[in-house]
Amino acid sequence: NAGVTQTPKFRILKIGQSMTLQCTQDMNHNYMYWYRQDPGMGLKLIYYSVGAGITDKGEVPNGYNVSRSTTEDFPLRLELAAPSQTSVYFCASSYSGEASSEQYFGPGTRLTVT
Amino acid sequence: AQSVTQLGSHVSVSEGALVLLRCNYSSSVPPYLFWYVQYPNQGLQLLLKYTSAATLVKGINGFEAEFKKSETSFHLTKPSAHMSDAAEYFCAVTTNTGGFKTIFGAGTRLFVKA
């Protein structure tokens, strides 16, 4: 199993550009998540999904959109990139939504907006 | 609402010395607590988790953590540090009322000196 994979690993965007961060998992997990990690701030939840076709906002959703057309894929779309979106983005998945369920993380995408 | 506080953004120990990383939580309902480790340029991976079965939890790579309800703490320890333990460590909390929304601490970077 590859687990959770993310592409690209690195990206530099100019202000106002758009891009999609890709995330795929091969563990047949229903639950998937997008986080951003800023220095000294831990991880903040951007969006999550409880299954194909179902998504919801997390703590910091502004400036982002998601879709979940399949169980495996959960892309994150950035529209009109801003410097405040410079961060490291992690996709994660879990088998269930139970509070005791651990999350499995991808290797991350480092995004710089200039 | 739950929260997590990790005391110390950086901890430095000598190889062979005790590792102690501190985590305090706040929750009005019984919590589930996790420690994740992040090695450079990688995603987070689970070290151990507390799910109320036992207060002393053993994880991978010789780490363990003890849940102390009276102190609202879940500190991570390892008797003897190894160079390969150098990484960033995140404490996290979820609850049944919070569902699948995990709250992460800001992280503690562990340095190991030869």
Side-chain angles (χ1 to χ4, degrees):
Chain A
N1 284 351
V4 180
T5 57
Q6 293 181 238
T7 57
K9 287 189 178 356
F10 304 93
R11 184 72 185 267
I12 299 175
L13 281 182
K14 294 189 184 303
I15 294 171
Q17 287 184 322
S18 300
M19 76 164 294
T20 299
L21 281 65
Q22 302 291 345
C23 174
T24 300
Q25 54 91 9
D26 63 0
M27 296 174 283
N28 202 32
H29 287 172
N30 283 323
Y31 292 77
M32 295 188 73
Y33 316 82
W34 273 106
Y35 294 93
R36 58 177 289 170
Q37 182 184 31
D38 299 310
M41 300 293 289
L43 278 71
K44 302 292 185 186
L45 182 65
I46 305 171
Y47 271 94
Y48 64 93
S49 170
V50 302
I54 307 170
T55 63
D56 206 349
K57 296 177 181 179
E59 187 179 357
V60 290
N62 291 345
Y64 307 94
N65 277 300
V66 294
S67 59
R68 185 93 181 273
S69 57
T70 67
T71 299
E72 294 78 20
D73 300 307
F74 190 41
L76 177 71
R77 177 83 177 162
L78 279 71
E79 304 283 1
L80 298 175
S84 61
Q85 293 178 304
T86 293
S87 188
V88 182
Y89 292 85
F90 288 101
C91 180
S93 70
S94 64
Y95 175 70
S96 78
E98 292 181 5
S100 60
S101 188
E102 71 174 278
Q103 294 182 25
Y104 295 80
F105 286 81
T109 295
R110 186 174 296 274
L111 176 67
T112 302
V113 183
T114 62
Chain B
Q2 58 265 41
S3 66
V4 172
T5 301
Q6 291 185 241
L7 300 176
S9 58
H10 298 85
V11 170
S12 182
V13 301
S14 297
E15 193 172 21
L18 171 72
V19 175
L20 171 61
L21 304 181
R22 300 178 187 274
C23 172
N24 287 90
Y25 70 91
S26 173
S27 177
S28 58
V29 297
Y32 296 89
L33 294 159
F34 303 78
W35 276 100
Y36 286 88
V37 60
Q38 183 183 28
Y39 297 104
N41 300 314
Q42 295 184 27
L44 281 69
Q45 56 184 278
L46 184 70
L47 262 184
L48 50 81
K49 66 179 179 180
Y50 166 75
T51 59
S52 78
T55 56
L56 182 63
V57 182
K58 294 187 184 300
I60 61 172
N61 301 336
F63 284 93
E64 63 182 37
E66 186 171 9
F67 173 71
K68 292 187 176 180
K69 184 178 178 180
S70 61
E71 299 177 8
T72 60
S73 68
F74 190 56
H75 301 332
L76 181 70
T77 61
K78 181 175 180 177
S80 176
H82 191 272
M83 297 296 287
S84 61
D85 294 326
E88 188 149 22
Y89 293 80
F90 293 92
C91 184
V93 63
T94 63
T95 65
N96 281 324
T97 56
F100 35 78
K101 296 180 184 178
T102 301
I103 304 299
F104 288 86
T108 298
R109 184 166 294 279
L110 176 66
F111 297 92
V112 182
K113 300 174 291 187

